[in-house]
Structure formats: structure tokens, C-alpha cells
Amino acid sequence: MDEKKYRPNVAAIILSSRYPNICEFFIGHRNDIKGAWQFPQGGIDEGEKPKEALFRELQEEIGTNEVEILGECPEWIKYDFPETISTKMYPFHGQIQKYFLVRLKPQAKVNLQTNEPEFDRYKFVSYQELFEYVTHFKKRVYKNVLQYFRTEGFL
């Protein structure tokens, strides 16, 4: 069997500008998959550094990259696509992601009406609420990476 190919990707765990007083997470509802909520994420272009990809993807997906980076998960985290998505993402079997914890700056304005909108709505939710919304195949990854940031004292 061929070795699995994973698409290099960055993901942003966005906290509202009210952090650290209130810890609420940004999640976006995908406009192409009904009921799928997730953190903003996207591929890393050839020759691009993960932090550069982070700022570019935030601008492309939520219309702002006015964020402060609070932390970066040192591990790259892999997950496999479910069969329903894998054909669309061929030749990749999944993604390998670099996670960043960021805080929206107070003046940042989220605007989902970007050139190629990925989300049709968004909300800020508590840690507990997060897992009521997040799509099933990302829950394990999200729990692991959030546990890392919790252990580091950010959450």
C-alpha cells in the first residue's frame, strides 16, 4: 500500500479580544458542509512559513489577520479525512497541521464576505460548547491541542 500523503496546513484557535478575562473560542460554520463547525485553517503554500500561512489564511477566511499570537503547538498534528471528504481532497489522505493560539485584537473586524468565502456564519463559544458544535472527525485533534495550551497555562 502507498504511504499516506498529508497536506501541510495551519490552524488558528482564535480567542476573542475579551481574553484573558473571558475565554471564548471562534468557530466558523462551513458554507459547503451543513452543520460543520471548525477553527479557521488552510494549506501552507510552497515556500511559505507556517506563521505567514496563518496570517494569509486568517485574512482569506475571516477577513482580518489582526491577531496577537499567544502560543504555538510544537507538534505537527495529523488527522485522516473521512471517506466523504477524501475524494474531494485527493491525492491527500488527511492533513498535518501546525496549531496557533491567537487573540483577536480589540479593533479587529471579522468579515466572512471574502473573495472565496469558506464560512457563512461564526460564533464565539465556551470550551464546553465547542465540542457540541465541532465536526466529529476533528474533536480528538481539538481536545489534544487545547489540552496542550491548557497545560502551558493559556486556557
Side-chain angles (χ1 to χ4, degrees):
M1 185 170 145
D2 292 340
E3 188 163 323
K4 288 184 175 182
K5 284 184 80 171
Y6 290 90
R7 177 177 173 242
N9 187 285
V10 290
I13 300 170
I14 304 172
L15 299 172
S16 79
S17 61
R18 303 189 316 166
Y19 173 86
N21 299 329
I22 297 172
C23 190
E24 50 193 1
F25 300 88
F26 175 103
I27 52 172
H29 180 265
R30 293 188 61 100
N31 62 15
D32 60 345
I33 306 170
K34 186 174 169 34
W37 292 84
Q38 68 179 50
F39 295 140
Q41 64 176 45
I44 299 172
D45 292 340
E46 187 79 29
E48 195 175 36
K49 291 180 174 49
K51 280 185 186 168
E52 294 167 344
L54 170 73
F55 288 112
R56 178 185 51 73
E57 284 293 337
L58 287 173
Q59 187 66 49
E60 288 176 6
E61 292 191 5
I62 68 166
T64 186
N65 58 18
E66 293 188 56
V67 297
E68 167 191 357
I69 296 176
L70 303 174
E72 178 180 335
C73 187
E75 306 291 319
W76 286 79
I77 300 171
K78 280 184 193 173
Y79 73 87
D80 290 340
F81 295 127
E83 282 186 33
T84 53
I85 296 173
S86 61
T87 52
K88 178 179 147 185
M89 298 304 288
Y90 182 84
F92 300 105
H93 293 90
Q95 302 202 98
I96 183 162
Q97 298 182 299
K98 172 60 88 168
Y99 275 82
F100 292 90
L101 181 67
V102 303
R103 176 183 171 266
L104 275 177
K105 292 181 178 177
Q107 74 276 12
K109 300 274 186 271
V110 173
N111 175 13
L112 302 182
Q113 299 310 307
T114 59
N115 288 345
E116 293 181 38
E118 199 154 316
F119 301 122
D120 56 17
R121 60 190 183 278
Y122 72 93
K123 58 176 71 179
F124 285 94
V125 297
S126 69
Y127 179 84
Q128 290 76 19
E129 291 174 294
L130 181 62
F131 295 100
E132 294 171 20
Y133 287 97
V134 173
T135 188
H136 66 95
F137 66 94
K138 293 188 179 186
K139 285 183 181 179
R140 181 189 55 81
V141 170
Y142 284 14
K143 281 183 178 167
N144 289 345
V145 80
L146 288 168
Q147 184 57 45
Y148 166 78
F149 288 120
R150 222 180 206 165
T151 303
E152 292 297 304
F154 289 107
L155 305 175

